[in-house]
Amino acid sequence: MSKITCECGHVNPEGTVLCEACGKPFEANQHLNNNKPEQLLNMRYDGSARRSQTYQRTFIDKTWNFFSSVKIGVSIIIVIVVASALGTIFPQEMYLPPGSDPSNHYKDQYGILGQIYYQLGFHNLYSSWWYLLLLAMLGISIVIASIDRFVPLYKTLKKQKPKRHPNFMKKQRIFGETDSGNIDYKKLKANLKSKRYNLYEEDGNILAEKNRFSRWGPYVNHIGLIIVLLGAMLRFVPAMYMDEFLWVREGETKQIVGTDGIYYMKNKDFILETYDMEDEGNSQFRESLQKQSAPVPENYQTNAVIYKRTDLPVVPGKEPELKKVKEAEARVNHPIPLENGISLYQASYQLNEFSSMTFKLHDKGDEDSNYGEFTVDLIEPKDEYKLDNGTVVRLERYFPEFELDDGEPKQVSKFPRNPAFIFEVDAPGEETEVSFAGIGVNIDASGNNDYKLGLTNFETRDVTGLTVKKDYTLPIIAVGAAIFMIGVIQGMYWNHRRIWIQPKGAGVWVAGHTNKNWFALKKDIDRTLEGTGIAFPVDQQEEKDAEERRKDDGIISD
């Protein structure tokens, strides 16, 4: 790489815009910092060489330059935002009703748009490889862009000198000259220190600086964002994050998913409480409650018993030996905590789910006749049922929740919400008959049956829906968000201010720079120069703007 040698003798790396030692602007490199010779200095990185603007040769250089570009980073963010918005058009697969078939659900619920949504893979958008790749690219862009800018800025600010080149002084936005030799340097230094400036001196030259830490605010933002992205991506690591759903019927004991078969839960009782419009305590909600077509739940909870398996290690197929750990209540926003960061959250419920149905066999034309009854357990139905008169009823097919599709029964889900059955009736000495029976439906398959199966009784029970959740990523995301906010405050409420004071013959030059809030810097300079014999400097940018306005108004000519 070629080097740039300044007139002061310092050798600067290629791409340097201001000499690292004396601050002299290099006109040949002005295009790198968007400066023209007649323009004021752009001091964003103090003219130091950035890697992305100097190395352009190898594949690594081009990759670095690609990800260091702010335009590329913003483009990736826009693509992520658009993709995330697409993911909210229809529910993600994880939020579909348990037991639903995604390939049919989106088409049935949302038509052709839902089918396209499913076919394009947007139903699992946030765990798709390309979405995770976008997040990774954003993280890489933030890291490379930060390093590309932070390192040269840090080096420059760390070794800046009080004595600067005359062109450096003259091209600062705030600049002033004083010819008088009656200057009170002692008072000047006292004034600067009272404004909490740190002073650096070299051969009578003074650099006053404060709030340098504010320059690192954007990079602290980036660190916070990277931690947030890391936490978001760790949600796809099973050991760090789990979000499963568990349906448990009243009286049923089930293994809790995600606990490696160690924990079990029994639904001892499910309770649903609705708002009472006559209750004086709910008077403020009465109008809203009256508009509802159904009772509004005030509280729903699961009274649960938690068990822990004692016969470890777990042997597949072996009946577990359980020890009661505790009894607890799961209510909305009041989960049941387990070990290893796992909690049970009350999320949903199903009232009056069918648990069993009782049928009787009678003559087709005489409902008062009765050849025997049998009860079907809807969770674990038997293959056949023997009646007292020797008749055998075989369960050919079972539809927990069915609907008719062009006259054919179709299973909607595996939960017994609208059960139906295809029975074979094998009476002694007679031909086997086929019947389709359910709630409100009883079809003679052949039209020539002598017998009929009639529903005589049924039992129901409530079902609770619990979310089994483990989230070790939330503290990581919270730390990242906190760091991000620290960076926002650091960069927003403070600004980096520098004042250079250099003796010139019998007089003195004053120049100032800040990364923002020029009004505050000018106010600081004016106050520190009061009573020191130094003339107040001028804002050269304001003078240029005023001159341009006068030209536009025709007051002065070019």
Side-chain angles (χ1 to χ4, degrees):
M1 302 297 292
S2 60
K3 302 291 184 179
I4 303 174
T5 303
C6 180
E7 64 183 33
C8 70
H10 183 77
V11 179
N12 300 273
E14 181 182 6
T16 303
V17 181
L18 304 177
C19 176
E20 295 175 337
C22 68
K24 177 187 175 183
F26 296 128
E27 304 296 343
N29 292 297
Q30 291 289 345
H31 66 283
L32 293 177
N33 213 25
N34 295 324
N35 281 326
K36 295 180 180 179
E38 69 275 7
Q39 288 182 337
L40 301 175
L41 291 181
N42 182 339
M43 297 278 286
R44 177 176 294 181
Y45 308 109
D46 278 31
S48 51
R50 286 167 48 199
R51 190 187 193 285
S52 61
Q53 295 176 328
T54 55
Y55 296 86
Q56 308 281 345
R57 291 171 173 77
T58 67
F59 173 76
I60 295 177
D61 297 336
K62 293 177 181 179
T63 303
W64 181 277
N65 299 343
F66 175 82
F67 283 107
S68 67
S69 169
V70 174
K71 292 181 180 179
I72 295 299
V74 172
S75 299
I76 294 173
I77 291 174
I78 292 174
V79 173
I80 291 175
V81 170
V82 172
S84 300
L86 290 174
T88 63
I89 294 176
F90 301 126
Q92 292 288 289
E93 182 179 347
M94 67 179 73
Y95 299 116
L96 298 185
S100 300
D101 182 2
S103 60
N104 295 323
H105 179 87
Y106 287 99
K107 181 180 179 181
D108 296 341
Q109 294 294 323
Y110 310 110
I112 185 66
L113 290 178
Q115 187 175 9
I116 295 173
Y117 190 83
Y118 174 78
Q119 292 296 333
L120 291 176
F122 290 149
H123 63 296
N124 273 325
L125 173 71
Y126 305 114
S127 59
S128 62
W129 67 268
W130 61 269
Y131 189 83
L132 294 177
L133 180 62
L134 284 174
L135 294 180
M137 289 178 64
L138 178 59
I140 293 172
S141 177
I142 292 174
V143 171
I144 291 180
S146 299
I147 295 175
D148 188 61
R149 290 159 174 80
F150 175 84
V151 173
L153 180 61
Y154 174 78
K155 288 181 178 178
T156 300
L157 294 181
K158 184 178 180 180
K159 59 185 179 182
Q160 58 184 331
K161 296 182 179 180
K163 187 176 182 180
R164 310 301 279 173
H165 192 276
N167 286 350
F168 176 90
M169 298 288 289
K170 290 179 179 179
K171 296 188 71 174
Q172 294 298 328
R173 176 171 170 173
I174 306 296
F175 177 73
E177 299 178 78
T178 301
D179 296 330
S180 171
N182 187 22
I183 298 172
D184 189 346
Y185 282 99
K186 185 175 181 181
K187 185 172 184 180
L188 172 64
K189 295 178 184 178
N191 290 345
L192 288 170
K193 290 180 179 180
S194 69
K195 292 293 182 182
R196 297 187 299 278
Y197 278 87
N198 297 315
L199 303 185
Y200 307 92
E201 296 188 55
E202 179 186 5
D203 300 330
N205 300 280
I206 299 174
L207 166 61
E209 180 186 33
K210 75 174 180 180
N211 298 339
R212 185 194 298 183
F213 72 93
S214 70
R215 296 293 289 272
W216 317 130
Y219 306 103
V220 175
N221 292 155
H222 292 176
I223 293 173
L225 283 175
I226 291 168
I227 294 175
V228 169
L229 285 174
L230 178 63
M233 296 185 72
L234 284 176
R235 289 195 163 209
F236 300 100
V237 178
M240 298 295 295
Y241 182 82
M242 179 183 64
D243 191 349
E244 302 288 347
F245 206 86
L246 179 68
W247 287 103
V248 188
R249 297 169 176 86
E250 284 182 323
E252 184 181 25
T253 300
K254 258 193 175 182
Q255 177 183 319
I256 300 174
V257 293
T259 63
D260 299 323
I262 297 177
Y263 284 96
Y264 286 72
M265 192 207 86
K266 178 180 180 180
N267 182 357
K268 186 177 178 181
D269 186 26
F270 178 79
I271 299 174
L272 174 64
E273 299 172 341
T274 59
Y275 282 100
D276 183 3
M277 289 187 293
E278 303 302 324
D279 188 351
E280 290 297 329
N282 297 326
S283 58
Q284 67 271 34
F285 309 122
R286 186 167 298 154
E287 184 176 349
S288 299
L289 293 172
Q290 290 173 345
K291 293 180 181 179
Q292 302 299 317
S293 58
V296 178
E298 181 179 11
N299 172 55
Y300 53 96
Q301 69 180 52
T302 302
N303 296 336
V305 181
I306 306 300
Y307 297 96
K308 187 174 184 179
R309 189 165 186 164
T310 57
D311 55 331
L312 299 177
V314 176
V315 178
K318 181 183 177 183
E319 191 70 21
E321 298 177 8
L322 302 178
K323 177 183 177 182
K324 180 179 176 181
V325 176
K326 62 180 176 180
E327 293 191 20
E329 299 174 353
R331 302 190 304 277
V332 177
N333 298 325
H334 293 82
I336 300 175
L338 303 178
E339 293 180 357
N340 303 323
I342 298 176
S343 297
L344 302 177
Y345 289 83
Q346 183 68 62
S348 185
Y349 60 89
Q350 175 73 41
L351 297 180
N352 301 321
E353 181 185 88
F354 293 101
S355 60
S356 67
M357 287 185 170
T358 301
F359 295 88
K360 75 171 183 176
L361 182 68
H362 61 87
D363 291 324
K364 186 176 182 180
D366 184 9
E367 293 189 3
D368 293 333
S369 60
N370 189 345
Y371 294 102
E373 296 184 357
F374 62 95
T375 299
V376 179
D377 185 335
L378 300 181
I379 306 303
E380 297 180 356
K382 297 179 181 179
D383 293 332
E384 62 179 33
Y385 302 88
K386 293 183 180 180
L387 306 184
D388 293 340
N389 66 345
T391 300
V392 177
V393 180
R394 299 185 183 88
L395 179 57
E396 179 66 21
R397 192 169 179 187
Y398 168 40
F399 302 88
E401 182 178 7
F402 92 102
E403 64 180 24
L404 291 176
D405 186 6
D406 294 330
E408 294 291 330
K410 172 186 174 183
Q411 181 166 315
V412 178
S413 76
K414 61 181 181 181
F415 301 103
R417 296 165 181 160
N418 184 25
F421 313 85
I422 297 178
F423 290 113
E424 288 185 353
V425 180
D426 190 2
E430 300 186 28
E431 293 184 2
T432 301
E433 299 179 353
V434 179
S435 296
F436 181 77
I439 298 176
V441 58
N442 200 316
I443 300 174
D444 180 352
S446 65
N448 298 315
N449 288 350
D450 294 326
Y451 299 102
K452 186 176 182 180
L453 289 169
L455 180 64
T456 61
N457 193 18
F458 61 82
E459 293 182 357
T460 63
R461 56 184 172 183
D462 298 332
V463 186
T464 185
L466 301 169
T467 298
V468 185
K469 197 163 187 175
K470 174 178 66 176
D471 192 354
Y472 289 135
T473 68
L474 195 58
I476 298 175
I477 295 174
V479 168
I483 292 175
F484 178 84
M485 289 306 302
I486 290 172
V488 170
I489 295 171
Q490 181 178 343
M492 182 177 292
Y493 294 100
W494 286 272
N495 43 81
H496 182 209
R497 303 176 192 175
R498 285 176 287 176
I499 303 171
W500 292 272
I501 301 168
Q502 296 190 357
K504 292 294 180 181
V508 68
W509 284 6
V510 176
H513 181 269
T514 182
N515 60 324
K516 60 182 179 180
N517 197 352
W518 290 90
F519 176 80
L521 175 64
K522 289 186 287 185
K523 192 175 180 180
D524 268 5
I525 294 176
D526 291 346
R527 289 181 177 177
T528 56
L529 297 183
E530 287 180 356
T532 62
I534 302 176
F536 298 137
V538 298
D539 187 332
Q540 299 191 88
Q541 186 62 53
E542 284 189 356
E543 289 191 343
K544 287 178 178 288
D545 294 341
E547 184 178 353
E548 290 296 329
R549 287 195 296 269
R550 288 196 296 270
K551 287 181 180 179
D552 293 340
D553 295 339
I555 299 175
I556 62 174
S557 62
D558 294 336

